[in-house]
Amino acid sequence: ATSDVSTDQDSLAGIGLTFHRPDGQGGVLVKRVKEGSVALANGRIAPGDRLLAIDGNTLGTDISHVDLTQMVLGESGSSICLHMQYSSGVSEEVVLQRGATVSQGSGASDMQNPITQSLCGLGVTFFPPTDGDGHVVIKRVKPGGAAQVSRVVEAGDRLMEIDGKQVHLLSGSELKSLLMGFPGSVCTVRVQHQNGMSEDVNLVRAAKDEPLKPAGPLYGITSEM
């Protein structure tokens, strides 16, 4: 049996995604988002999402490994536009800049990746799911973080969605990859308050040493998840 489609080659830069073989439904499903990759840093793509088109070129129902690889790989720093369909059914365009990932066998376990080091989180902590529905309840809103500054997100709220993705469908690693992102990147979360009302909140991530203050509908986030 042949292996799943992967888009990493030593001579060119990729985006840190691997894909399952075409399933006849159009495009390909994301199998893995690699640690330290630009896709992980972007925070909008997770395993199970479907890649439908690249740079405006629709992926056929039987796209080959070779064709997919040629479309994904390119010069480091060059842009690539992905048309993604998330597991929630929402579709959007995601633009990434190609960049080499830290490969295994080259001392990766002893290296600190600057991409991973620069990521920011939401400034909240969570209780582990206990009610069987997979929803995540916020345990603590950290002082000085954007969730606290927003005066909207509170301890006891349920985190329902992140950027259109339903949290109860995500694994722990998928949830973390969506929460983390570069300083200045925007994250939209849907929370359900304890009174049963749901609300969408737009947050913009900020590093720990950056001042956090409301900015219209956007709020900063601390560098912790």
Side-chain angles (χ1 to χ4, degrees), residues 148-199:
Q148 185 267 330
V149 173
S150 74
R151 299 181 182 179
V152 175
V153 180
E154 299 178 343
D157 289 347
R158 279 189 172 189
L159 181 63
M160 309 296 289
E161 294 184 6
I162 303 175
D163 290 329
K165 296 177 184 291
Q166 298 179 53
V167 170
H168 74 278
L169 299 176
L170 303 174
S171 67
S173 61
E174 291 168 351
L175 174 61
K176 182 177 179 180
S177 71
L178 289 174
L179 291 171
M180 306 299 287
F182 284 126
S185 59
V186 177
C187 179
T188 301
V189 299
R190 173 168 292 179
V191 294
Q192 183 182 64
H193 303 304
Q194 295 183 67
N195 63 6
M197 298 294 292
S198 295
E199 188 169 0

Side-chain angles (χ1 to χ4, degrees), residues 19 52 103 139 176 184 213:
F19 302 96
L52 297 176
S103 60
K139 179 179 181 180
K176 182 177 179 180
K213 57 184 180 180

